Amino acid sequence: ALVKAKDNSIAVFNSLNWVRSGILETDLPDGTTLVDASTAAEVPVEILRKGKGISLPGFGPGSVRVRFLAAAVPAVGYKLYTLKPIAKERAASEGIRGNILENEFYRLTLDPSSGAIASVFDKQLGRELVDSSSPYKFGQYLYVTGGDNYPENSLYRFGSGLKPPALTAHPATSGRLISATKTPIGIVATLSSSAPNTPSIETEILLPNSIKDILITYHLHKDRVLTRESAYVAFPFGVTTPAFTYGSQAAWVNPAKDELAGGSREWYLPTTWASVYNPQVDATVVPLDAPLVAFGDIVRGQWPAEFKPKSSAIFSWLMNNYWGTNFPAWQGGDFTFRYAITSNARFNPPSLTRFALEALTPLERDDVPGTQDSSLLPNPEASLLEVENPGVTLLTWKRAEDGDGTILRLQDTAGEASNIRIHSPLLMFERAWLCNLLEDTQAEIKIQGEDLSVLVKPFQVLTLRLHTSPRIRQGSAK
């Protein structure tokens, strides 16, 4: 509400505590485009669809749905994009011949018959990421049948007298490449396929410009059935001597080392990312909509006592109706599942946490009408809070539950004790206290100068109460 602009604009807000870029969708009035208010450069946009183009008196022009890359949005801050008339017609998107998608980071070879990917070559690492010996393609949808002799098999519960059921995985088939296009924000391919009880699977693969990221979105229609079933998306990475790790609420977990005796060895719940790696390569999947994963194989009801994965594949477990508790007897309808995928030369959990949080916490946007009024925030971009520690994540900044100041909650994600320096270009820190998670004040923190400095322990969730005052007043902003 405090952000003002001379011209009609879109404000993009970044709630994470580091500068980042991200892709957004928005509606623009027909005949307009976006200009970066900081650089005055026109922003490339991809047209997703146009409205009917009917302009009624008093209702303004028709709209155009676009997708664009918001680059370098300040930490816990905003960036303005001004709406301007189009000076010249937008260039049409360029079609791509063949089944190869390529940018500066990856070369993808599509497998249209499966509606998936045959090869992912990391150009920076100079290596193939997909296991060519896997029975599944990369990103292929799997529909699993079997296990209907309930309750005589071990899929539903552990029992020494129960045996694992015979399960059959049916990979998606009858696929085709619908389109492959080079757009202003990256390369986009759309494929279709089908599987038993899943007659329609549409897969969009996006290779963004300037970001080492593979974005895959599935739109699928699933029939409603009462027979036992499961659905997965397979990511058969080719990593020799693989180690698996996934991000949790507080840190990260290696199931071969960190699981308690008697814990699950077949499926896991990553709250951020799931990764397979060795000393030469790390490959990571962020499941945005389907939180369960299995490592090495689909879930078969083996109930192993040790974690010994059969392959280096990661399986995203979309749905099942194996259990009568917390699961419907049938699951049908239209579903969307999204994934962000990346790879690196080495396993770096704090970096993966940032990558995952960017995918799980998208940039936000709002319309800012043009005005000539003075304001507190006339700048085209600004950061509201600066946390100068790359291993620390801002969890929340909110009003205190009792109304006394604001609550700042931070977490160390690097597993190292360190000092956190906190600064705000807009606020002066008058007093600060350490609190517990219930926001009970425990000890006051001494403030030196304009910044707040506090120690954090490995993986600690740190809660602070702040009393602040504004640095600037109405009409005094520069």
Side-chain angles (χ1 to χ4, degrees), residues 78-153:
Y78 69 90
K79 187 172 186 177
L80 288 176
Y81 291 87
T82 306
L83 274 67
K84 296 288 187 180
I86 296 176
K88 60 181 180 179
E89 285 296 318
R90 296 187 179 97
S93 297
E94 178 185 348
I96 298 173
R97 294 183 178 180
N99 299 329
I100 296 179
L101 315 179
E102 187 170 3
N103 65 4
E104 62 180 296
F105 304 109
Y106 294 109
R107 183 170 65 248
L108 273 57
T109 303
L110 304 179
D111 183 69
S113 63
S114 65
I117 302 169
S119 167
V120 178
F121 186 81
D122 186 317
K123 296 167 69 173
Q124 290 184 321
L125 302 181
R127 64 176 296 150
E128 175 64 46
L129 298 180
V130 176
D131 180 6
S132 60
S133 66
S134 172
Y136 315 121
K137 300 300 182 182
F138 190 85
Q140 189 171 23
Y141 175 86
L142 308 179
Y143 183 79
V144 178
T145 59
D148 286 295
N149 54 333
Y150 177 87
E152 303 300 326
N153 65 69

Side-chain angles (χ1 to χ4, degrees), residues 165-179:
L167 301 180
T168 303
H170 306 270
T173 58
S174 304
R176 67 183 181 93
L177 176 60
I178 298 175
S179 64

